[in-house]
C-alpha cells in the first residue's frame, strides 16, 4: 500500500501531531511504501520569517528521525526539494472551484485566528491535493482536522479524471477513530498556530510549566469530578492503557483527587515515553549536515516517483506538444 502524509514546520511538533499523525506514520513504515515529508510550502501560509521556516524544517526532521522514522525504509524529504509539486498545483487550480475552497473550515478558522487571508491560504488545499496526487497515494493518515482537506483532494482528483481520463488514484483518508483531536492546554484543538501546545521535546522546565498551565475547573479537592468534562483527563488518557484510564476515572469520581497530582503523573508519562527519542535527538542535532544529506537523498527518490505522473498529466492537459 502506498501511504503518504506531511507535516508543517510552522512550530515545534506537539503531542497532537504525535498521536494524530507521526505515531501511525512511523508504524506504517514496516510493511508499506511510506512517503513522509515536511510541508514547508504549506507553512509559508502562516510563517513569514525565513529563518524561522528554515530552522523549523530542520527541527521537524530531527523530531521524525528521533522518533524512529527510518529513511532507509520510508521516503523522507522536504516538500520544496521537489518543486514540481507547484506545477501540478497550478494545473489542478484550473479544475478547482473557488466555492469549494471558500467552504474550507480550516481556511475560515485560520482567518478567524487572525492569519491574513492570502491567496496562498485559500489555495492551501490545492497544494495539498497536488502533494497527494503527484505520488499516486492510496492512503493518507491524518488527524480528524484534515478530513475536509482530504475530501477536497478526492473531489479534485475525480474531476480531473473525469475531464482528462483516468490519471490519478483516488486517495483515502485514514483517520484513527480512537484518537480524537488532541486538545491543547487551553481546551481548544492543540495547534502550533494557537500557542497552546505541549511539545514532544520540550525542555524539562518548560514541559512542567506547560503541564501546570493546563486549564482545569475550580471544584474543591474533596468533591467528585467528571473525567469526561476534564481536558487534563483527555490529555493524560492518550498515555494510558484502557485499564489505567478506568482506574483514573474512578479516582476522579470518588473525590479527593488533586489536579496537581494528575499533572505530575502526566509529566512523568511524557518524560518517559519520549526519553529514548530525546537522547537520540540530542545526538542527531549535533550533525545537521547528516540530516540535510538524508533529506536531499529522500527528495531524489521522491522526484523519481513523481516525474512519471507529472509527465502523464502534462501530456493529458496539452503542455506537451
Ligand atoms: P498544527 O495544527 O499544529 O499546525 P499540522 O496542521 O501541521 O498541525 O498537522 C500535522 C498533522 O498532525 C495532521 O495530520 C493533523 O491532523 C495532526 N494534528 C494536528 N493537530 C492535532 C491534534 N490536536 N490532534 C490530533 N491530530 C492533530
Ligand atoms: N495540511 C496538512 C496539515 O496541516 C499537511 C499536509 C500538506 C498534508 N500536504 C499533505 C497532509 C499531504 C497529508 C498529505 O496537517
Amino acid at each position: 500500500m502506498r501511504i503518504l502524509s506531511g507535516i508543517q514546520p510552522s512550530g515545534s511538533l506537539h503531542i497532537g501531531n504525535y498521536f494524530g499523525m507521526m505515531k501511525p506514520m512511523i508504524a506504517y513504515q514496516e510493511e508499506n511504501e511510506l512517503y513522509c515529508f515536511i510541508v514547508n510550502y504549506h507553512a509559508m501560509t502562516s510563517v513569514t520569517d525565513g529563518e524561522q521556516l528554515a530552522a523549523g524544517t530542520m527541527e521537524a526532521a530531527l523530531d521524525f528521525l528521533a522518533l524512529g522514522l527510518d529513511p532507509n525504509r520510508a521516503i523522507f524529504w522536504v516538500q520544496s526539494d521537489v518543486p514540481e509539486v507547484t506545477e501540478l498545483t497550478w494545473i489542478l487550480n484550473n479544475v478547482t472551484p473557488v466555492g469549494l475552497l471558500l467552504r474550507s473550515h480550516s481556511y475560515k478558522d485560520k482567518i478567524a485566528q487572525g492569519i491574513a487571508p492570502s491567496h496562498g491560504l485559500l489555495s492551501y488545499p490545492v497544494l495539498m491535493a497536488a502533494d497527494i496526487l503527484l505520488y499516486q497515494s492510496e492512503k493518507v493518515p491524518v488527524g480528524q482536522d484534515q478530513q475536509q482537506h482530504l475530501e477536497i483532494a478526492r473531489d479534485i482528483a475525480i474531476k480531473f479524471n473525469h475531464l482528462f481520463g483516468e490519471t490519478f488514484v483516488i486517495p483515502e483518508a485514514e483517520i484513527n477513530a480512537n484518537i480524537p483531536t488532541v486538545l491543547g492546554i487551553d481546551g481548544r484543538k492543540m495547534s502550533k498556530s494557537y500557542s497552546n501546545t505541549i511539545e514532544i521535546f520540550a525542555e524539562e522546565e518548560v514541559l512542567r510549566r506547560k503541564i501546570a498551565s493546563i486549564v482545569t475547573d475550580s471544584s474543591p479537592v474533596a468533591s467528585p469530578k467528571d473525567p469526561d468534562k476534564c481536558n487534563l483527563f483527555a490529555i493524560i488518557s492518550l498515555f494510558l492503557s484502557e485499564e489505567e484510564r478506568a482506574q483514573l476515572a474512578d479516582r476522579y469520581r470518588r473525590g479527593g483527587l488533586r489536579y496537581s497530582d494528575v499533572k505530575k503523573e502526566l509529566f512523568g508519562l511524557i518524560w518517559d515515553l519520549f526519553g529514548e527519542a530525546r537522547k537520540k535527538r540530542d545526538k542527531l542535532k549535533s550533525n545537521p549536515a547528516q540530516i540535510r544529506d538524508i533529506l536531499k537523498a529522500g527528495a531524489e527518490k521522491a522526484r523519481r516517483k513523481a516525474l512519471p505522473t507529472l509527465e502523464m498529466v502534462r501530456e493529458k492537459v496539452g503542455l506537451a506538444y
Side-chain angles (χ1 to χ4, degrees):
M1 174 85 70
R2 190 173 283 190
I3 299 180
L4 169 144
S5 193
I7 204 157
Q8 296 190 68
S10 49
S12 303
L13 303 188
H14 52 77
I15 61 171
N17 297 141
Y18 177 73
F19 286 104
M21 185 269 199
M22 302 169 87
K23 186 179 176 201
M25 279 292 277
I26 292 168
Y28 275 132
Q29 72 189 354
E30 302 298 328
E31 285 174 7
N32 296 279
E33 202 183 332
L34 188 72
Y35 290 66
C36 181
F37 61 137
I38 299 170
V39 297
N40 55 348
Y41 283 142
H42 278 102
M44 289 177 72
T45 58
S46 62
V47 181
T48 51
D49 176 329
E51 269 175 36
Q52 189 191 330
L53 185 64
T57 303
M58 289 296 280
E59 294 285 322
L62 267 177
D63 287 357
F64 257 111
L65 294 170
L67 288 166
L69 190 89
D70 178 352
N72 294 317
R73 285 190 167 148
I75 301 184
F76 182 50
W77 78 106
V78 176
Q79 187 183 32
S80 65
D81 283 336
V82 185
E84 287 84 355
V85 74
T86 59
E87 181 178 350
L88 183 59
T89 303
W90 177 253
I91 294 169
L92 298 180
N93 272 333
N94 298 292
V95 300
T96 308
V98 175
L100 186 67
L101 303 177
L102 287 171
R103 284 195 295 278
S104 154
H105 305 308
S106 164
Y107 178 67
K108 289 190 257 185
D109 288 352
K110 284 173 183 166
I111 290 176
Q113 296 300 324
I115 296 180
S118 65
H119 181 197
L121 195 65
L122 181 64
S123 160
Y124 182 112
V126 189
L127 175 58
M128 179 160 162
D131 281 337
I132 296 169
L133 304 180
L134 185 58
Y135 300 98
Q136 302 285 15
S137 318
E138 294 166 278
K139 204 193 272 187
V140 184
V142 281
Q144 271 173 7
D145 60 312
Q146 295 297 313
Q147 178 151 21
Q148 193 187 27
H149 282 157
L150 256 297
E151 278 159 18
I152 295 174
R154 288 169 59 89
D155 284 354
I156 292 174
I158 290 167
K159 178 126 180 245
F160 188 98
N161 285 356
H162 181 71
L163 282 170
F164 296 102
E166 275 315 296
T167 308
F168 295 120
V169 170
I170 309 298
E172 299 274 350
E174 160 111 333
I175 297 167
N176 185 344
N178 298 323
I179 300 289
T181 297
V182 177
L183 301 181
I185 56 178
D186 58 359
R188 294 185 295 166
K189 168 186 136 75
M190 185 176 288
S191 172
K192 294 176 215 110
S193 30
Y194 300 164
S195 307
N196 65 353
T197 58
I198 299 176
E199 288 99 37
I200 302 168
F201 294 114
E203 298 287 333
E204 187 171 348
E205 269 322 298
V206 177
L207 184 60
R208 282 190 201 280
R209 223 178 323 116
K210 282 278 175 96
I211 292 174
S213 58
I214 294 174
V215 177
T216 48
D217 66 24
S218 51
S219 52
V221 173
S223 68
K225 300 173 177 64
D226 182 353
D228 299 327
K229 292 204 174 114
C230 179
N231 183 24
L232 176 59
F233 184 80
I235 295 174
I236 197 170
S237 291
L238 296 163
F239 298 85
L240 300 177
S241 66
E242 220 162 286
E243 198 187 332
E244 290 164 334
R245 197 175 310 159
Q247 283 165 357
L248 181 62
D250 208 44
R251 276 167 61 203
Y252 265 75
R253 294 196 185 97
R254 274 204 310 267
L257 173 127
R258 278 178 207 282
Y259 289 128
S260 56
D261 288 342
V262 181
K263 288 180 176 179
K264 271 189 214 133
E265 289 163 33
L266 175 59
F267 172 83
L269 288 165
I270 297 181
W271 198 250
D272 288 352
L273 181 65
F274 300 122
E276 279 305 307
R278 200 173 297 110
K279 282 188 213 144
K280 190 166 165 198
R281 192 178 191 282
D282 287 343
K283 238 191 238 160
L284 285 167
K285 198 173 179 161
S286 62
N287 196 350
Q290 184 196 357
I291 308 286
R292 275 189 203 99
D293 286 349
I294 289 173
L295 292 169
K296 298 289 174 189
E300 276 315 304
K301 285 191 221 162
R303 173 178 281 113
R304 275 201 295 279
K305 300 284 185 178
L307 286 181
T309 304
L310 192 58
E311 279 309 307
M312 174 171 60
V313 170
R314 295 180 112 243
E315 194 129 337
K316 291 200 171 176
V317 300
L319 293 174
Y321 58 90

